Amino acid sequence: MLSRLQIENIATISEACVDFSSGLNILTGETGAGKSILIDSINAVSGAKTSRDIIRTGSEFSYVSALFTDISGETKEKLLSSGLNAEEDNTLLLQRKIFRDGKNSCFINGSSVTVSMLKSIAFSLINIHGQRDSGALLDSEKHIYFLDEYAETENEKADFLSSFEELNKIKEKIRSLTLDEAYKARRLDLLNFQIEELRSANVQSGEISLLRHKKAILNNSLKVTEALSHALSALLGDGDIPGADSLLSGAAGHIFSVTDVAKDLRVVGESLENAKESVLDAASVIDDVLGQLTQNEDNIEEIEERLDQLYRLSKKYGETEDEMLSFLAEAENELDNIVFAEEKIEKLSAEYEKLSEITNKKAEALSKKRCAAANTLSVCIENELKFLDMPNARFIISIKDSPLGENGKDSVEFLISANPGEEPKALGKVASGGELSRIMLAIKNVLSSSEGASSLIFDEIDQGVSGSAAGKIALKLSYLSKNVQVLCVTHSAQIAAFADEHKFLSKSVKNGKTFTEITSLDLNARAKELARITYGSDYTESQLASASEMINRANEQKKTGGTI
């Protein structure tokens, strides 16, 4: 249930912290005091689409947090499926901050989440119903889900859905194999061309990276070749320019020519001859390396041509070699499917017919269970409506055949006839606000145990209702609150008299700004508020006593099940 609601900077509420109890929580106050703001705040923290206009004037953001206790197993499963952890004490904290620039910060148990995740989790926790909007109950497409919850069709529906999904897969395979002849011929030409182009290219995984590496080495070899060529010229000479070998040979000759008179220079001459031999050895090594590099220069053109070919293929079949190879495999598979299409279609069609028969039988079983439950559900809701002063109401659950879909073969819609002689109409077309309020409450009361939400909020469910009907709505809300927590915004003293917890909203003006305050009322304060609602702010002592008596009678009616 919703245990605590904290609000900051929303409309006239600067800051408020409200604790709620189990049972029936009533919220009253003068018009404009901020009751709708409280509902807007709960909507916001439940992930509903929220305008930044709710941000209080002068503030940069608004903030709402909602603490839930005793969360259900369904909510825990949703948390786990969303990658979130449930707290050991079964509490759940939802938080949302809305900024003026339109950005949102949402958290579940302290973990950052998206607005959609917040909405998904909140759906299993709280359900809000306004004066003219009962949410999923007025959405005819959702009616089948309420009937399934009541009929407990979970196993049958899962069994059917498994077959239905497999049936759709086979159907899609058959559709993909069914082509007109002209398109088939064009497609075969294209596939054959693509397959041949890729096969002849013999694309290898990782080839582009390897070729680029080789190209980089060869590009660097040009610089090496130039340096080695200059070195070889320096060692062996170039044309008319003598090299180191020639110069060393000349120097040695000059030295040896004078060794007969300067014997000590022979050693120098021999050193020069040795140096010449070293030069010739170095030149030989350089010449060999140059020969190898010259041969590699021819390879760079081949590498560039191959890279260019792979680049052109990548523009058509995928950026990487693996993507090109994947394209080839898919093209070969498609070609095979087209060539052998008739044979495959025949086999798949046989599978489809067999599975279709099984699926339809499962849909029929699901439909029978719905039809059986619909009769009981209709009677239950009609009984509720009779209690709520609609004795002539007829509640019809229309089940019609529809094309096979994820919900089986049924189209379900709730219809209502409020008065004798009227044809049953869709719930959303019921004109009277008072009738709509009671119909909504009747359905909620019957389906409350199967709906899942642990907290129900009714925003002015008494709209258009007074007298005996209002008293019966009050008692029905009290009944409902024994199974789930109920929060009800009301202007009806008869409904407020049944409160287990009564909150009063008031507004004041300070320093030119409007503020809303939320107060928990004790027994005496409750009597004064009921007197104000019934008689206005200038109520008399006898009228106050009458309001006190209304509370006492409500407490008795809770026990006996009567009306006030």
Side-chain angles (χ1 to χ4, degrees), residues 366-419:
L366 182 58
S367 182
K368 286 182 179 178
K369 193 164 187 180
R370 283 173 178 155
C371 289
N375 294 328
T376 306
L377 181 58
S378 293
V379 172
C380 289
I381 292 175
E382 284 181 357
N383 289 336
E384 292 287 332
L385 292 174
K386 288 176 183 177
F387 178 84
L388 294 170
D389 274 7
M390 293 181 67
N392 298 311
R394 285 190 301 139
F395 189 86
I396 309 297
I397 299 178
S398 171
I399 303 179
K400 297 180 179 179
D401 284 343
S402 68
L404 206 64
E406 63 178 16
N407 289 314
K409 59 184 287 289
D410 301 320
S411 173
V412 176
E413 185 175 16
F414 295 165
L415 307 175
I416 187 76
S417 171
N419 301 299

Side-chain angles (χ1 to χ4, degrees), residues 74-124:
E74 178 190 353
T75 301
K76 291 179 182 178
E77 288 179 6
K78 279 195 171 185
L79 287 171
L80 292 173
S81 65
S82 300
L84 301 169
N85 294 320
E87 298 292 337
E88 291 183 0
D89 60 357
N90 285 338
T91 60
L92 181 63
L93 182 64
L94 305 183
Q95 297 168 290
R96 185 177 183 184
K97 185 180 283 189
I98 303 166
F99 297 89
R100 286 206 175 275
D101 61 4
K103 294 180 180 178
N104 286 261
S105 293
C106 302
F107 298 88
I108 297 177
N109 280 345
S111 298
S112 180
V113 297
T114 62
V115 175
S116 60
M117 288 177 65
L118 189 71
K119 186 175 183 178
S120 175
I121 297 299
F123 185 78
S124 66

Side-chain angles (χ1 to χ4, degrees), residues 274-293:
N274 291 334
K276 176 185 175 182
E277 291 299 324
S278 295
V279 165
L280 293 174
D281 289 341
S284 176
V285 172
I286 291 172
D287 190 52
D288 288 342
V289 173
L290 279 171
Q292 295 175 16
L293 291 175

